[in-house]
Amino acid sequence: MFTESNVDFEASKVVVLPIPYEKTVTGRRGTRYGPQAILQASQWLELWDEELNFEPSEIGIHTLPEIKPTINNPEKIVEVVYKKVNSLLVKNKFPVILGGEHSISIGAVKALSEHYTELSVVALDAHADLRDEYENSKYSHACVVRRIQEIAQTIVSGVRSLSKEEAKYISECTSDMQADVTSNRSRIRVFKDLNTDSISELSTNVYLNIDLDVLDPGIMPSVGTPEPGGFGWYEILEFLKTLIKSKKVIGFDVVELCPIRNNQAPDYLAAKLVYKILGYTFRP
């Protein structure tokens, strides 16, 4: 389904961009194989969506060749992603980014912020990713949400693991909001649950950022740093339906799939999740 031969680039509405980058990952490695695993699994999905009563693939989906990083500097990779996503937005394409590690999301948000004056980000993640720096890098996967909220208003849901530094930062952010202080810190809210009430606080245009470890390890063990708990399949779909019905999703990414040999079920889940989001976004 998400193959280059599916739909010609010029005729497509959606463009899938695979980025097998994993320089800053911690825990189990292998996210560089994530994009290809999702693409392979997508070939076996039924195109008809029985819930939505149409075939989302009819919108026109084109998959670009992988961006194979030739540099290890995460800040430079962010710039590579920024330029590529920007080139897609100039051509009025809807970007879908497949990771690879989470740090690539920063470049996508940076590009979108220059095309949409009102932009919010909804991040679904088991980890806060709010460190200012990690292992001598401000662009580590552990710093992604911190960098994103410097660009746009951000809501993070599903967080069930964070450091002392991040807990302190979240407390400071809450204090800023209560005091009605305008700052980068006042543009971030963090939740453990899928807080649908927070959707009303978002701007009209929303970028969706999904780290697959937000899901329960029982259905998504194929991540580098799984956390106990997490959301189920139908639970996350209900949240996504509510979000997409209320706001205009202008692009999204699915990152941190770390395929497990001889267990393809998580790969299929990730591919199906991408397809469901497209269906909710472009349903007639």
Side-chain angles (χ1 to χ4, degrees):
M1 179 176 57
F2 306 139
T3 62
E4 290 181 72
S5 60
N6 186 22
V7 172
D8 178 75
F9 178 84
E10 295 302 328
S12 66
K13 180 174 291 185
V14 172
V15 174
V16 178
L17 179 60
I19 309 176
Y21 178 70
E22 67 164 6
K23 172 63 177 177
T24 76
V25 297
T26 51
R28 189 169 66 90
R29 301 187 70 82
T31 56
R32 65 184 181 276
Y33 303 117
Q36 192 57 41
I38 295 173
L39 294 174
Q40 289 178 348
S42 75
Q43 307 308 306
W44 304 104
L45 297 181
E46 292 287 357
L47 298 181
W48 178 257
D49 189 308
E50 71 284 355
E51 176 191 3
L52 302 176
N53 206 35
F54 89 114
E55 289 189 358
S57 61
E58 294 176 353
I59 60 179
I61 303 171
H62 179 85
T63 298
L64 292 170
E66 292 182 340
I67 291 182
K68 295 183 178 180
T70 56
I71 50 178
N72 287 326
N73 185 312
E75 185 173 0
K76 291 182 178 179
I77 291 298
V78 166
E79 190 65 17
V80 168
V81 176
Y82 158 73
K83 290 179 179 178
K84 189 62 180 181
V85 174
N86 185 63
S87 71
L88 297 178
L89 296 173
V90 168
K91 295 182 179 180
N92 296 314
K93 303 300 182 182
F94 182 96
V96 176
I97 298 154
L98 304 181
E101 66 162 82
H102 201 171
S103 62
I104 61 177
S105 305
I106 304 169
V109 174
K110 180 182 176 183
L112 285 155
S113 71
E114 295 181 2
H115 287 261
Y116 295 90
T117 54
E118 293 188 1
L119 175 68
S120 296
V121 176
V122 171
L124 304 182
D125 199 329
H127 306 91
D129 290 348
L130 280 168
R131 287 177 167 89
D132 188 45
E133 184 176 298
Y134 189 70
E135 295 183 339
N136 300 316
S137 175
K138 287 181 173 289
Y139 293 87
S140 163
H141 75 137
C143 309
V144 174
V145 176
R146 186 72 167 258
R147 300 287 80 81
I148 287 176
Q149 63 98 46
E150 292 171 349
I151 302 170
Q153 175 194 18
T154 306
I155 288 177
V156 195
S157 291
V159 175
R160 51 195 192 275
S161 177
L162 67 163
S163 66
K164 182 178 180 180
E165 172 195 344
E166 290 169 313
K168 180 176 182 291
Y169 185 72
I170 292 169
S171 177
E172 293 170 347
C173 294
T174 302
S175 297
D176 279 3
M177 285 185 288
Q178 292 174 343
D180 197 26
V181 175
T182 301
S183 68
N184 282 340
R185 293 192 317 207
S186 66
R187 299 193 303 187
I188 179 76
R189 298 193 68 188
V190 180
F191 300 96
K192 183 177 180 180
D193 61 347
L194 289 170
N195 192 303
T196 53
D197 292 340
S198 64
I199 292 174
S200 62
E201 303 172 16
L202 300 168
S203 60
T204 301
N205 301 308
V206 172
Y207 181 75
L208 180 60
N209 169 222
I210 302 178
D211 184 326
L212 288 169
D213 65 22
V214 75
L215 296 167
D216 188 273
I219 63 171
M220 180 47 70
S222 299
V223 292
T225 49
E227 291 291 341
F231 305 129
W233 174 249
Y234 293 105
E235 190 177 4
I236 199 165
L237 289 188
E238 284 301 316
F239 175 81
L240 292 171
K241 281 189 283 188
T242 301
L243 172 66
I244 294 170
K245 184 177 180 180
S246 304
K247 301 296 178 179
K248 181 181 179 181
V249 172
I250 55 176
F252 67 92
D253 62 53
V254 174
V255 300
E256 296 284 347
L257 179 69
C258 189
I260 297 174
R261 188 177 182 181
N262 298 325
N263 184 4
Q264 294 180 315
D267 307 348
Y268 282 83
L269 186 156
K272 185 86 170 186
L273 183 62
V274 171
Y275 198 54
K276 292 296 287 187
I277 296 171
L278 290 175
Y280 293 147
T281 302
F282 294 101
R283 67 194 303 177

